[in-house]
Amino acid sequence: MSVMDSRARSVTDVWSMDRAEPIRTGDDYVASLRGRGLRVRYMGEWISEPVDHPVVRPSVNAVARTYDLAVEKPELATVHSELVGRRVNRFLHVATSAEDLVDQNKMQRELGRQTGTCFQRCVGMDAFNALWSVTYECDRDRGTTYHQRLRDFLRYVQEKNLVVGGAMTDPKGDRSKAPADQHDPDLYVRVVQRREDGVVLRGAKAHQTGCLNSHWLVVMPTMRMRPEDRDYAIVAAIPVDHPGITYLYGRQASDSRAAEGVDQGNATYGGQEAMVLLDDVFVPWESVFLDGEVEWTAPLVERFTGFHRRSYVCKTGLGDVLVGAAAQLAEYHGTDRASHVKDKIVEMTHLNETIYGAGIAASHEARPTAAGNYQPDDVLANVCKHNVTRFPYEIARLAQDIAGGLVATMPSEQELDDEEVGPLLRKYLATSPDVDPADRMRLLRLVENLTMGRNAVGYLTESLHGAGSPQAQRVQIARGTDAEALKAHARRLAGVDEPAGD
Amino acid sequence: MSVMDSRARSVTDVWSMDRAEPIRTGDDYVASLRGRGLRVRYMGEWISEPVDHPVVRPSVNAVARTYDLAVEKPELATVHSELVGRRVNRFLHVATSAEDLVDQNKMQRELGRQTGTCFQRCVGMDAFNALWSVTYECDRDRGTTYHQRLRDFLRYVQEKNLVVGGAMTDPKGDRSKAPADQHDPDLYVRVVQRREDGVVLRGAKAHQTGCLNSHWLVVMPTMRMRPEDRDYAIVAAIPVDHPGITYLYGRQASDSRAAEGVDQGNATYGGQEAMVLLDDVFVPWESVFLDGEVEWTAPLVERFTGFHRRSYVCKTGLGDVLVGAAAQLAEYHGTDRASHVKDKIVEMTHLNETIYGAGIAASHEARPTAAGNYQPDDVLANVCKHNVTRFPYEIARLAQDIAGGLVATMPSEQELDDEEVGPLLRKYLATSPDVDPADRMRLLRLVENLTMGRNAVGYLTESLHGAGSPQAQRVQIARGTDAEALKAHARRLAGVDEPAGD
Amino acid sequence: MSVMDSRARSVTDVWSMDRAEPIRTGDDYVASLRGRGLRVRYMGEWISEPVDHPVVRPSVNAVARTYDLAVEKPELATVHSELVGRRVNRFLHVATSAEDLVDQNKMQRELGRQTGTCFQRCVGMDAFNALWSVTYECDRDRGTTYHQRLRDFLRYVQEKNLVVGGAMTDPKGDRSKAPADQHDPDLYVRVVQRREDGVVLRGAKAHQTGCLNSHWLVVMPTMRMRPEDRDYAIVAAIPVDHPGITYLYGRQASDSRAAEGVDQGNATYGGQEAMVLLDDVFVPWESVFLDGEVEWTAPLVERFTGFHRRSYVCKTGLGDVLVGAAAQLAEYHGTDRASHVKDKIVEMTHLNETIYGAGIAASHEARPTAAGNYQPDDVLANVCKHNVTRFPYEIARLAQDIAGGLVATMPSEQELDDEEVGPLLRKYLATSPDVDPADRMRLLRLVENLTMGRNAVGYLTESLHGAGSPQAQRVQIARGTDAEALKAHARRLAGVDEPAGD
Amino acid sequence: MSVMDSRARSVTDVWSMDRAEPIRTGDDYVASLRGRGLRVRYMGEWISEPVDHPVVRPSVNAVARTYDLAVEKPELATVHSELVGRRVNRFLHVATSAEDLVDQNKMQRELGRQTGTCFQRCVGMDAFNALWSVTYECDRDRGTTYHQRLRDFLRYVQEKNLVVGGAMTDPKGDRSKAPADQHDPDLYVRVVQRREDGVVLRGAKAHQTGCLNSHWLVVMPTMRMRPEDRDYAIVAAIPVDHPGITYLYGRQASDSRAAEGVDQGNATYGGQEAMVLLDDVFVPWESVFLDGEVEWTAPLVERFTGFHRRSYVCKTGLGDVLVGAAAQLAEYHGTDRASHVKDKIVEMTHLNETIYGAGIAASHEARPTAAGNYQPDDVLANVCKHNVTRFPYEIARLAQDIAGGLVATMPSEQELDDEEVGPLLRKYLATSPDVDPADRMRLLRLVENLTMGRNAVGYLTESLHGAGSPQAQRVQIARGTDAEALKAHARRLAGVDEPAGD
């Protein structure tokens, strides 16, 4: 079936396409991605099978690791689901206790350590965790039936053990204008047609983490909507291989090295972000979880970010890798006992654990919603993410400091294979007879990878903008502060008001 | 009884002196401090009754608040104790769950908010929480009976509802030398005599928070000891009114304003730190909890700081007061809607909550000891405290930024009472007709109090040095990092080692 | 003559009061301040002779040092003046070259080192340096005669070698409203009457550095004025002992220790800030340098801050003292070879020199005005000051880190005199036999003095707000950035525009 | 002539190869690089003509700009040379005044702005500026003739208008061991043979900025040498096309995009760093400027870094480009009036100008050497560079913050050419009808280029390690601090010592 033919498949076909056997291992998962006929562009060309594309594959491997971890460490990466009556992958679970949320964080850190990149499944998890209570309350207040639809959808993906991506960020056009006020109405995803059997969507979602590697995408509004933005207040699940979707694969720093197959630093794992174009995509009502209830857009975004900003604890796993790489290089270089090197490693650790602390605290301080699931503490979740917008940059700087200038000036590992030049390069990159210069080069490439290469996208820029740019957290921290209570404390101590309790 | 006569009282007298009725309220507590004949120096003179001394009293009030809070909010400030079979003040409890530890943090923050100062009871609490497992393990390994003695002591203080202070920091002399190597052997507290009925101690403890306001002090070694430091490896409980003790009360910034009774900022509450001189103080065996087992000094210090560095969450309560004061002043000044002012308040909150997050996480990630109590996560506790050595200084700077230069240049409130000058001062300090200039002045004094006045001692300098200076945390963070595991992660991703799981 | 009688003296009397002999030494200067009958309030009382008041005197000493330095190091602290044809104190000079401005900075740093406080003469110097070009250009454009009046005034103060203070900051009332829109029209200094022989002024100036220690005050508008603020656009020189002026002396942290005569840290030198109340003060035309030309208020403020924000290089002198104190204490404590201590001293120095660098660069990059004097580079001057609002706080924190907790908990030096307690305090504060514990105490008090005591007012809060609060510098940095040029560079390199030069 | 044949050319041939006509324009310069038969490796292959290699060419263009600037702005980029009696390119000049040094900084900033990358000529300039005084003093003390040789060499390169590279950094092997103690003696460049007519060198130099783009390299020792390191104390000029040299070209982040010809951000200009392998390279005595005088290695390194650390002012030119790019993108996005965006641009500018200030001050505070040239202030030069190791990372972070996540997730510009996808990409990247989405993409790529792409090598990692890693500056700042003088100031103010001047 050619790429363009796929357009002809009905959604029912897509749905029925689901394989009989649920996915279990990473290999099963990789197999599940094949043959979907996705319309994917990269560097000006259509990609025929993303799974086998050298630039895409590392991102597939990272998601596959989430499956294998569930097999290897089920206590960490699976959890009992009431919906299906058995343990499911933790990424498909709606957290029903603070401890569940803390355990998510621990799984996220472990996966960060194991992959050194973004493993792409948090957005989806955080999306349906937020939708769980929002649909519940919307149904309660408006008499809609979104919550039951969501339960059905979740039961299905849990049974099949699928990857669900969340798609929130619209292109946004002119930032100073609301959705309905843009010069092009499609700059935010919108309902262009409401039919008896469902809705038709048009628009785009930018920076979509792991979209190609998912089985379903849940599109959601990206911000608070006004009544006039009603057509933009849409939440819907769409199969990734829907024929109306085109994926424009994002370039990453040094991504061509994956195609070259050399000097990658981390050849196994990588992140993935693409722009998703929705060209009049039909979604049946059973997959629609909000449509026009604009008053629920702000709560949805706030609750989603309440989960997702705390999910950035994953970056402490990447931080662990950088700490490890720096410590290993210091040992190779004979600088591991220099006090300033030890001190910098402590600083890296301190910053990394500071992020972790706020994340764990946000999860631990979660409170139950009316729907019965648990919602993280909003201020602490935002504080966690806000530190993520700062500290990885400093950790990266310190890692480069310890690693040395070769991070940015090292000749290709290909030179090692040359009969004349290879031995010379080894000679001059040797630090002591006990250290293989090739190992040193690999570690240096890993630092490059995480600080200015392919996984710097995930470790730095995504840390800055994912789950909302820094200012979004500041707004939310301001909202979460009970300024009146604090002012009253100050006035009382200053003697302006009467003492408390009197 | 004159001050000097008190020397004649036997320890048995002291012990029997205990009042029949346990303390319940803050007023009971204040009464319990009277008439103890303490030998206290301040500004070159003996103080006859510290409770009534204007400089001392605010620190008494802060401790009294810990009693009243237990009456007002028993769920926050009391907890069931197995030792006595009923709820006791949380400051006297050995935590037997992670949740207990989290609840300590919440109580600490609330008291920080209510008092705007150090309420002085955490050291003691953290001391016996650490001793609980250390004495248990020492007994197990060495056949000693310290743990049972500690249980008896704790049961007693819980029944009487007393304040127990912890006394750790020795004067230390030349920092480059160990205790037994100092030019004067008394520069660390030591056993100068071992008698059949107990030990005799000599030395001093510096920076002793709330020592005058306690009923008992538990002296502990301040660092890892070597075999030759055996006489310095002593833990013992001593009644505060033991006749062999002299207290040299520390000066605090602007402390004379308490004596003047004006321009205090926070007239009700203050901290207290004194140098405690032990002049051959006899301690009966029943009050000795370690004596010479040098190998337990390092675990004791590490476990104590594991509790205590996380207790610095109290400073987020003071941070709350500064945020409130800044927000209130901005409102008075008409700057509350200026974007840079709002942004600074967000930054203050962000830093404050970052501290809180690491503290809560350290408590939540606590693990049970062999003795059954819970020990906080060491790295996170150190990370919490390490942020405390940095962020309050920045929060204070931002508070001064918002409050304006008057924080440091404002005339005395006494001018307000002058017939000629008072109206002029009001006229020129008026911001709008709705704001009483006197209220504005009080809030400005509160900011001065917390950033460069009496409570800056607790909010800034104590945040830096209490529970160990910054470098102590860095050493501990380094120790808590499993560098080998992190290096292995880095090597695996870089392709130096085989993939994990293979 | 009683304080109240002084009101009766005519301005001519004041003027004629000028002594025949110019001031030369610090002692001459101190003598010149006596017997002026100033109306000064401190702590609710009138002060009879400020020079002899223990709290005021250290601030007088600091100014006296500026005279003595001119005698001791004339190449540093004096400079040839065209106005009088001989060398004058540099603080009275209008800079006519970039090198002149650089030399001001060097003198400021030296005086900061010598006094460890604010020596109070920069505002005046910077005021008439700014007025020099503003009056020149105003005269040129408006046909006024301000410049000649200013020259006459300057010649006079140079001849007499007087101290001129600058008075800029108004109380400002509601910050969200302009001068003429306040609920009380006096919240900015204004002309209440224009007479044939001069103007009558009413209002107040807040935070007036060294006002009592000056001979003349030059009042200036504090911000850009609108046409309707015409009466607020006034610049005038007023003798400090004008009978219509009342001074409300500001309280400083720990100021009472000067009255107590103990535990001062720096007993010799201190800063001074007071609120100056102008109660219908008459100023003859010869002392008026701007009156109603509102369009010149913004240039005046900008040029003044262009000088004054770079004058904050003085704080690097105070930073030098803190670096020295920390280094000395580390040596006393035996920690001077600990790598983290050395590293912190480097960091203190680095931050201190970063401030210095921007200040020197601002002076060096000065450009000539139409009036012939030199105006510092505006962006660099603002950058210098903006770093001053940040780095001293961090330097202070590091100094406290190295100095240790005793900075905030040390008993009074008065204990040293007690027969019983003195020897014990010495015993326990001893670090090695080579160090006198009393010396250690003095250094610790100096650190307290600069970080949370009397001179913390000058080193920290004044660094924050003096010459404009942080946001004022940010506004000015934004104004000084040629964003269009930078955007063009970026577009050209990105390939949006044609290459430059083509 | 094949690459391998070039080995046969005698040094005299090389020298005589010099073209009759001096270089004048950038085009002349590019022509001068051709046909030199350099032995250059990149990605495992020999490069036949570097000038025409797509990855190399942008670095050639950057150097060419230094020639064209001299034509376009001779007052900025040329200066009168006493050696040849006419104006020469400023990069070939020995500075004989502080103003000369300040002017270097201004030229460096301008070139940074014009190229957005490292233009590669500062190392050489700073090398012979340092050698000027070192050879002079060595000759004076040791009776050598190095200074005259250096003068001759400089006259020659000024006459021919050549590019001279400086080569300092050795591979260093085990950092905890000195040159002569390494397991392989070649890990620092050394003299392997001393002949009647010159010396033979072996070893490597790492991270060699612009080495291929130079005509001559001056090798220098990288650190203080001990007597036993005598053979490593060698300074010599070598023609770049010496047949004994092999160049291993360093990989840069996203360097393959230059080969692809797309998505480069800055397609015109780039930096260049390579590892230079010296395989028994003969140097005649006339090109040797130090040989074995180990006591002059430390002064050489210190003086060189005194010049070179201040040369990092060039990065403020790159900072200007990032400020401009961020400001332009904010305008495109409609966020340019958001207060937090304006504030971030101010912060970027503030940090950038802080670097500039310290650099200008270091140059301005230069002092004459015995040889008559000017040496920058050492502490300020180190402070300048130390800020360069920090602030560009924060400026880069802020630029990414303002630019948005597309910096790291944007599809290739190649999509724009596709008939189907191109219009869709334009549609969804449109912000307002006035902005061409392709322009927006180009600016975003420029931000990527400078923050995680090819020129991040120069803007970030080289800023960290070039001219010495951060710790090297800290050591030098410590050395430059007169701690004894500062301690004396502190003691005097604290009352420990007598007042100064008494």
Side-chain angles (χ1 to χ4, degrees), chain B residues 171-177 182, chain C residues 325-336 401-407 429-432 435 440-441 443-444:
Chain B
K172 294 201 195 97
D174 183 335
R175 262 51 164 196
S176 64
K177 293 181 177 163
Q182 297 289 331
Chain C
Q328 184 61 72
L329 281 164
E331 197 179 295
Y332 284 174
H333 294 174
T335 59
D336 51 325
D401 186 346
I402 294 171
L406 274 179
V407 162
L429 290 188
T431 55
S432 89
V435 178
R440 183 187 176 202
M441 288 178 74
L443 262 300
L444 286 162

Side-chain angles (χ1 to χ4, degrees), chain D residues 179-191:
Chain D
D181 304 338
Q182 298 288 332
H183 76 276
D184 178 343
D186 299 341
L187 285 167
Y188 288 74
V189 166
R190 66 181 177 124
V191 178

